[in-house]
Amino acid sequence: GDEVRYEEFSERYRTASTPQEERRYLFSLAAFRPQELLTRTLARTINGEIRTQDAPFIVGALMMNVDGREQAWEFVKANWDQMDRLFPKQGLRRMCGGIAGLATPALEQDVRTFFASQKIDLGGKTLDQYLEQLRIAVAVQEREGDTLRAYLKHQQPGV
């Protein structure tokens, strides 16, 4: 979507008549592609515009957005301390589940370096499980990426 659609969805989020409608439009903000719109959504997660109970889920969804994952990851690294203070601990743990979307070898290494250097403890085996999910996603991408791209290209009409 473009900026007009983003503003429409933002307004519908703010004026929703049901909690379900509110969540639908809120989470749609994490699915946009233009970086400037994703920047606005990320900023809203720590400036009070998005409730702290919802914000970690939006950041996690942005890390799963192939068009915004690197931007979201940079935002997480730059704002970790603030998010750690703002977000409920359970929300912070759930947000980190979004690292599975950072499925490139370079991003995986950066994720591992960041969590190790920050000595972040998400409780129990949570972080280990998220890192394992990331490792599997990267391995699948490395092993099957070319085959999948070729298949999808073949499936497109007129290609």
Side-chain angles (χ1 to χ4, degrees):
D2 59 12
E3 186 166 355
V4 171
R5 179 62 49 99
Y6 184 89
E7 289 303 327
E8 175 190 346
F9 283 21
S10 291
E11 183 62 22
R12 288 183 181 210
Y13 158 64
R14 285 189 290 274
T15 61
S17 58
T18 66
Q20 294 83 0
E21 183 180 359
E22 178 188 69
R23 290 187 67 75
R24 182 179 314 119
Y25 285 106
L26 172 60
F27 276 86
S28 72
L29 299 178
F32 279 78
R33 298 177 82 177
Q35 291 211 330
E36 63 275 6
L37 300 179
L38 298 178
T39 296
R40 288 168 55 186
T41 300
L42 286 164
R44 294 168 81 176
T45 65
I46 59 173
N47 72 7
E49 288 185 55
I50 296 175
R51 290 185 303 264
T52 56
Q53 68 197 41
D54 296 326
F57 296 97
I58 300 304
V59 176
L62 279 158
M63 286 192 285
M64 298 296 282
N65 174 342
V66 72
D67 295 303
R69 64 186 176 187
E70 292 180 37
Q71 183 179 359
W73 175 240
E74 291 301 319
F75 182 85
V76 167
K77 291 188 304 182
N79 294 284
W80 179 266
D81 291 337
Q82 184 177 0
M83 290 187 296
D84 190 28
R85 287 189 306 275
L86 287 174
F87 299 166
K89 295 306 174 202
Q90 181 61 22
L92 197 64
R93 281 191 292 277
R94 295 294 298 272
M95 177 189 80
C96 289
I99 66 172
L102 305 174
T104 71
L107 286 172
E108 178 189 14
Q109 185 57 50
D110 193 41
V111 166
R112 290 180 180 281
T113 300
F114 175 78
F115 281 107
S117 69
Q118 297 292 315
K119 297 180 177 44
I120 294 168
D121 180 11
L122 299 178
K125 295 183 183 267
T126 303
L127 181 57
D128 290 338
Q129 291 169 335
Y130 290 155
L131 292 171
E132 179 181 11
Q133 290 169 359
L134 175 57
R135 172 84 300 265
I136 291 167
V138 170
V140 168
Q141 188 274 337
E142 289 176 325
R143 187 182 69 228
E144 303 297 338
D146 290 340
T147 303
L148 182 57
R149 276 187 289 282
Y151 173 79
L152 291 173
K153 184 176 182 181
H154 180 71
Q155 297 303 310
Q156 294 177 356
V159 175

